Amino acid sequence: MTTSIVGEAPAREHTAGGSGGMTRLLILFTLSGMAGLIYEVVWFQLLRLTIGTDAQSLGILLACFMAGLFVGSFSYARVVPAKWHPLRTYAVLELGIGAMALAMPYAIGWIRAAYLSHAASPQATLVWRCLIATGLLLPPTILMGATLPALARWVRSDERQVGSIGRLYAINIIGAVVGTLGGALALLPWLGVVGANMVGVGINAFVALVAGTMRLDYHPPHTAELAISRDVTGGLPVYLAYSLNGAAALSFEVLWSRLLSMAFGATVYAFALVLGVFLLGLGTGGVVGSAWAPRLRRPRRAFAALQLSITAAIAGTPWLMHVAPLWFIDFDTAHAGDPWLLTLTNLVRATAIVFPGAFLWGMSFPFALAGLGKGLGDAARPVGKLYAYNTVGAVIGSLATSFVLIPQFGSSVGTAHVILLPVAAAVVLLLPARWPGWIKFVFALAVVVVALATPLASLGNEQLRDSLRRIDDVPVFVWSIVGAAVVGVGMILATYVRYWWSFLLASAAICVAFTTAVPVQLYMFGRYYAYRGVGREFAEVLAFEEGAMEPVVVFRDLNGTLQVAINSKVCASTVPEDMTVQRLLGHLPVMLSSDPSNVLVVGLGAGVTAGAVSVHDAVKHLDIVELEPKVAKAARLFGDYNAHVLDNPKTNVIIEDGRHLISTTKKKYGVITSDPIAPFLAGSAMLYTVQYYQACRDALIDGGVFCQWMGMSGMDDENVKSLLAAFAEAFPGGTIWITQYDVVMVGSTKPMHIDVQSIARQLAAEPVVRESLAEVGLGTVDNLLSCFVCTCKSLSGFLQGVVPNRDSTLGIQYTGWMAYYERRLLPVERLFVGLRDYDPNVFILPAGEAQSFREKIEKEWSRYEKALERREKAHAERMRQRRAEVGD
């Protein structure tokens, strides 16, 4: 049977499998995409637990994953002979991916143990992080990157080639949507990381089995077809344009993830929702583009017009970020307790913002294929090269946006920067063919640098907005001339230029992108922006900084209290209830430790906890580990409340992932006090696991004390029990304490014993400590110790049958968002008041004073419970009034 080349009838080997053969391949490649995204979710979670979650580690993981895809796609046609059957090769690739995935959790576990026990200096640690990520991620991702070129080789050179390959690309991405949402919201919460990973392995095994046994004829390409695939040298503009396309797409994915995670709450659910809509847009765009691309008469010009059209789809992001939260505000208010209805409205918002641009980016792949030629010969080579160029652009765009563009210029005007990339892609495609390729390459690289690493767009944004503010000063005749000029240019374009409308769209889009910005209130109030931001429930913004990891805003509310919002959630403030728990977290563990000379505080926030630690005379050295450097600038504004801790010579601030530092440090601390963000927010659940608490215990001296905050807002009973069970497993002799809205867990390397007289002496000897506690109503021994609830041992019945939060599950990260979206405020006082259990073995007292001390504590408990009843009645009345207002 002879094979066809360009211009001949459709390839005859398709008659063996026909359209049914392509249909089966589409199903298999859908499953491949599903497995690939399951792996990405699972492997990244496991590796973050090993090498940390700071900006460097996340950048390393992303770069290694994408680098593997690049190597696999670029090298496949050069390494695998064309005579090998593509489906058999594809089966081997899938089998190899599954085999490596099967070993991945165990390999990571073994490497983690070795790495954490031998980690040395920060420089050496960085090198080892790179080696670990490279060694583990490159092999399987190289095979993943080779799967599309492998299947593309089976699609022979004819008029259907571009459309068929485009459908393969599109259906693979649609499978990735299922993998993303299923992995993050179903598999991981139900099966844990090992179980979810095994699902991916099973999918790979099934795909390999079916692909390896499919009886579809394949005839290696003729010399003429191989020559066609090698002769796509004039395709450099298409490759460069598609690389810029990848840079713009991944840059905007980062920007959308940052902005929408604030609008929806920075939960795993929010990130999965944004990524799911983005991938769905790519997939559906790929399907439509695959049907359209083969009919294009001038595909490169059409590809250029598509890039210009993308600017119109993405330019309105800042404006939409302002107005989208206002959609359905009455509906959201009326159904505030139903997370699924709130999810539905958030899906509409995400779709309106993300889907149009993602859809057009999805169309770009088949349009780029068509731009290479109607017949590609042995498609493995040009398809692999095109995919490789796009991957390089994606790596550059995502990393530069995360670590340069956002920290230096902010996500608000980031759209104005990135919108230059699709414009540059169109320009590259429209440059004269006779120009040397190196000029086009240099131009593309220069635009990337200007867009992602210079303040050009930021300055332009400011100048244009300033000009618009002075619009009333512009004479009418000037606007008449400008209007006439715009109409004239439009008529000339419409008369002489093909796809003239795309140029007008791009011009309007650039104007919109350069004159709009995301309101700062969104960074402050997040998903409550529609309720609070528009109502301006703040007096003034004192500082606004965006870091690679999270945005930080310090503002003063209408009552005059200072608040700091990190990732759109207020995490510290000078509100009395917040000050109480922040001071307790600082003072209590220092007063209970056998030797508090060296202290580690995990999480800086407003610095109040660290400041409380610093005023103790016994503390000689204070390490503060913080993930985001910009938080330090915010903490300085709380100097009057945190004892100016950052200027204290005792203090050493370490920019690092707190868990990674504790797991790798050789230093021993007398006190570790951990004040992370809420456990249901993305990434923070790993600071509430059994393994984290065990690492903290191992980093303590003998008799050292560990202390951690656990907030109750947005939690349900099962979440709380899971976290308490995790702490109790690591610190069986630990204790539980409460303030009005918060829980504090305190444990030690030994069973806890509280020397009441020792605490009294410390309060008497250190007036600064006593005054600090007195400011929050805890200035006496009785007041302070009345926060005590019980020992972990006494919780055994309460926690019976509860599954602790572990690294292998991080259950609260995948279930906590439900309670968060139901706006639950768990009545922490009512729950824990019922658990109070005075244990005489905990308190060390002089002979004869035990009974009187117990009576004092129980009297404080009684006073506390009466105050609780008053607060509950006031809260019930407020809720009744709110419901009445909604009903009206």
Side-chain angles (χ1 to χ4, degrees):
M1 184 179 295
T2 59
T3 55
S4 64
I5 57 175
V6 179
E8 296 183 3
R12 280 176 287 175
E13 82 277 5
H14 283 194
T15 60
S19 61
M22 176 55 74
T23 301
R24 281 177 283 170
L25 285 186
L26 290 173
I27 294 173
L28 293 181
F29 212 40
T30 303
L31 295 173
S32 290
M34 189 187 308
L37 263 293
I38 290 173
Y39 291 144
E40 184 174 349
V41 172
V42 171
W43 296 348
F44 274 30
Q45 177 167 304
L46 287 171
L47 284 167
R48 285 198 299 264
L49 290 168
T50 301
I51 67 174
T53 60
D54 60 331
Q56 283 183 335
S57 297
L58 295 179
I60 290 168
L61 290 177
L62 179 60
C64 290
F65 196 93
M66 300 297 281
L69 298 180
F70 164 78
V71 173
S73 59
F74 190 80
S75 61
Y76 175 82
R78 293 162 175 78
V79 174
V80 179
K83 63 182 180 181
W84 290 10
H85 197 299
L87 300 188
R88 307 295 179 266
T89 306
Y90 174 59
V92 171
L93 292 173
E94 288 291 316
L95 194 61
I97 294 168
M100 293 180 188
L102 181 64
M104 185 68 75
Y106 308 102
I108 292 177
W110 178 80
I111 289 175
R112 179 190 303 160
Y115 166 72
L116 295 181
S117 62
H118 293 91
S121 66
Q123 295 79 11
T125 298
L126 178 60
V127 173
W128 278 109
R129 292 182 192 182
C130 293
L131 292 175
I132 289 170
T134 301
L136 290 172
L137 290 181
L138 271 186
T141 53
I142 287 174
L143 300 185
M144 291 178 187
T147 55
L148 179 59
L151 291 183
R153 176 168 276 169
W154 182 79
V155 182
R156 299 300 297 276
S157 185
D158 58 39
E159 68 273 10
R160 298 181 304 177
Q161 188 179 31
V162 167
S164 297
I165 295 173
R167 286 197 300 276
L168 283 170
Y169 162 85
I171 205 69
N172 185 256
I173 293 178
I174 291 174
V177 176
V178 180
T180 297
L181 298 179
L185 303 181
L187 295 179
L188 280 170
W190 294 344
L191 303 176
V193 290
V194 175
N197 190 72
M198 287 302 298
V199 170
V201 172
I203 292 173
N204 284 136
F206 174 79
V207 171
L209 177 64
V210 175
T213 56
M214 284 177 68
R215 300 181 63 84
L216 295 180
D217 291 340
Y218 169 70
H219 296 274
H222 282 302
T223 304
E225 288 182 309
L226 293 173
I228 290 172
S229 62
R230 293 194 182 100
D231 195 37
V232 192
T233 53
L236 180 61
V238 177
Y239 294 133
L240 289 176
Y242 197 50
S243 182
L244 291 168
N245 178 277
L250 266 291
S251 293
F252 254 89
E253 187 199 345
V254 171
L255 290 167
W256 283 328
S257 296
R258 166 66 63 92
L259 294 170
L260 287 172
S261 68
M262 289 188 295
F264 300 158
T267 62
V268 171
Y269 143 82
F271 288 110
L273 185 65
V274 175
L275 182 57
V277 172
F278 180 75
L279 292 174
L280 183 63
L282 290 179
T284 53
V287 171
V288 173
S290 298
W292 192 353
R295 299 195 296 268
L296 295 172
R297 288 183 295 173
R298 304 185 69 180
R300 293 196 183 186
R301 285 192 174 273
F303 187 24
L306 180 63
Q307 298 307 297
L308 294 175
S309 301
I310 287 172
T311 61
I314 61 179
T317 294
W319 177 76
L320 285 171
M321 291 307 305
H322 167 61
V323 300
L326 306 181
W327 303 341
F328 317 112
I329 184 171
D330 293 334
F331 181 87
D332 287 352
T333 303
H335 299 87
D338 192 328
W340 295 110
L341 288 176
L342 292 174
T343 298
L344 180 62
T345 59
N346 282 339
L347 178 62
V348 174
R349 295 180 177 104
T351 301
I353 294 171
V354 175
F355 190 85
F359 179 85
L360 296 180
W361 272 313
M363 290 182 65
S364 296
F365 179 75
F367 273 48
L369 276 179
L372 293 175
K374 293 291 186 181
L376 302 174
D378 176 18
R381 184 178 294 268
V383 167
K385 191 174 180 181
L386 189 66
Y387 189 40
Y389 266 81
N390 183 260
T391 302
V392 170
V395 172
I396 294 173
S398 58
L399 293 181
T401 301
S402 297
F403 306 125
V404 180
L405 179 61
I406 290 177
Q408 293 298 321
F409 312 114
S411 58
S412 180
V413 295
T415 52
H417 288 256
V418 178
I419 205 170
L420 299 176
L421 297 178
V423 174
V427 172
V428 167
L429 289 165
L430 296 174
L431 287 175
R434 64 180 179 273
W435 285 23
W438 67 268
I439 292 179
K440 299 171 183 178
F441 180 84
V442 170
F443 171 78
L445 182 61
V447 172
V448 170
V449 173
V450 169
L452 301 179
T454 72
L456 179 64
S458 296
L459 295 174
N461 184 287
E462 295 173 4
Q463 292 299 321
L464 279 174
R465 279 189 287 159
D466 290 343
S467 299
L468 288 176
R469 293 190 188 101
R470 297 191 295 269
I471 195 171
D472 293 336
D473 299 332
V474 178
V476 175
F477 78 90
V478 173
W479 286 114
S480 301
I481 295 173
V482 171
V486 170
V487 172
V489 170
M491 292 177 65
I492 294 172
L493 288 174
T495 304
Y496 297 104
V497 179
R498 189 174 180 83
Y499 300 113
W500 58 272
W501 47 267
S502 64
F503 293 89
L504 296 181
L505 279 177
S507 300
I510 291 173
C511 291
V512 171
F514 274 67
T515 55
T516 56
V518 178
V520 69
Q521 297 98 305
L522 184 71
Y523 297 90
M524 296 158 57
F525 301 124
R527 75 185 192 91
Y528 298 110
Y529 164 71
Y531 312 98
R532 302 179 64 189
V534 176
R536 296 185 63 83
E537 292 187 10
F538 65 98
E540 60 176 326
V541 176
L542 302 179
F544 173 39
E545 297 277 352
E546 278 201 80
M549 300 301 298
E550 48 207 10
V552 182
V553 187
V554 179
F555 63 97
R556 197 181 301 278
D557 69 9
L558 295 177
N559 296 321
T561 59
L562 281 177
Q563 301 192 34
V564 55
I566 300 176
N567 249 356
S568 75
K569 188 178 189 305
V570 174
C571 67
S573 75
T574 58
V575 172
E577 293 83 2
D578 286 347
M579 290 295 292
T580 300
V581 69
Q582 289 168 145
R583 293 275 170 85
L584 187 65
L585 284 166
H587 292 300
L588 184 61
V590 173
M591 300 174 82
L592 296 179
S593 175
S594 62
D595 179 9
S597 55
N598 285 302
V599 179
L600 174 65
V601 174
V602 180
L604 177 58
V608 177
T609 294
V613 169
S614 69
V615 300
H616 286 263
D617 293 337
V619 174
K620 306 303 180 185
H621 186 84
L622 169 61
D623 286 335
I624 305 172
V625 58
E626 171 58 50
L627 191 62
E628 174 52 61
K630 301 292 178 74
V631 175
K633 296 183 180 180
R636 290 191 179 279
L637 297 176
F638 288 80
D640 293 340
Y641 302 91
N642 63 28
H644 298 279
V645 63
L646 296 180
D647 299 321
N648 193 316
K650 298 179 182 179
T651 301
N652 173 43
V653 178
I654 304 169
I655 303 302
E656 165 73 291
D657 172 23
R659 172 169 172 149
H660 183 264
L661 175 72
I662 290 170
S663 300
T664 57
T665 186
K666 301 299 185 291
K667 188 174 182 179
K668 296 289 186 178
Y669 293 94
V671 171
I672 298 176
T673 184
S674 182
D675 189 10
I677 57 176
F680 54 80
L681 296 178
S684 62
M686 62 182 62
L687 296 180
Y688 292 86
T689 67
V690 174
Q691 289 78 10
Y692 171 66
Y693 295 140
Q694 290 172 339
C696 291
R697 185 189 61 201
D698 293 341
L700 292 172
I701 63 172
D702 190 35
V705 173
F706 170 75
C707 177
Q708 182 166 30
W709 167 86
M710 183 172 71
M712 294 292 102
S713 177
M715 302 260 280
D716 60 22
D717 289 6
E718 293 305 314
N719 297 152
V720 172
K721 289 180 178 180
S722 177
L723 300 189
L724 287 175
F727 177 77
E729 182 171 327
F731 292 99
T735 56
I736 309 299
W737 305 64
I738 61 168
T739 63
Q740 184 170 340
Y741 295 113
D742 305 276
V743 172
V744 175
M745 303 177 292
V746 183
S748 177
T749 56
K750 300 177 179 179
M752 292 290 298
H753 294 291
I754 301 170
D755 189 332
V756 177
Q757 282 192 318
S758 174
I759 293 176
R761 287 194 297 269
Q762 291 181 63
L763 291 175
E766 299 187 64
V768 177
V769 174
R770 184 174 66 252
E771 291 169 9
S772 176
L773 285 167
E775 288 175 1
V776 295
L778 302 176
T780 68
V781 173
D782 297 344
N783 295 148
L784 180 62
L785 298 184
S786 68
C787 296
F788 174 84
V789 176
C790 63
T791 64
C792 289
K793 185 178 180 180
S794 70
L795 292 175
S796 57
F798 179 70
L799 299 178
Q800 186 173 6
V802 174
V803 178
N805 191 46
R806 297 184 184 278
D807 286 354
S808 58
T809 56
L810 295 180
I812 191 171
Q813 182 168 284
Y814 301 104
T815 60
W817 70 270
M818 293 284 290
Y820 176 56
Y821 260 70
E822 289 174 356
R823 292 189 185 177
R824 295 185 193 178
L825 180 60
L826 184 70
V828 55
E829 304 100 323
R830 182 58 61 197
L831 174 65
F832 282 88
V833 162
L835 296 173
R836 274 186 155 154
D837 180 26
Y838 184 90
D839 188 343
N841 296 318
V842 171
F843 299 97
I844 300 174
L845 292 157
E849 295 187 13
Q851 184 60 33
S852 62
F853 175 77
R854 179 169 185 168
E855 290 173 356
K856 290 179 183 178
I857 294 298
E858 291 181 346
K859 185 177 180 180
E860 290 288 335
W861 287 358
S862 176
R863 184 181 297 117
Y864 188 94
E865 193 163 358
K866 290 178 181 177
L868 168 61
E869 292 174 357
R870 291 193 296 269
R871 289 197 300 272
E872 287 176 338
K873 289 180 180 178
H875 178 71
E877 178 61 22
R878 287 196 300 271
M879 292 299 99
R880 187 192 65 78
Q881 293 177 357
R882 183 175 298 178
R883 285 192 294 270
E885 292 172 358
V886 172
D888 294 339

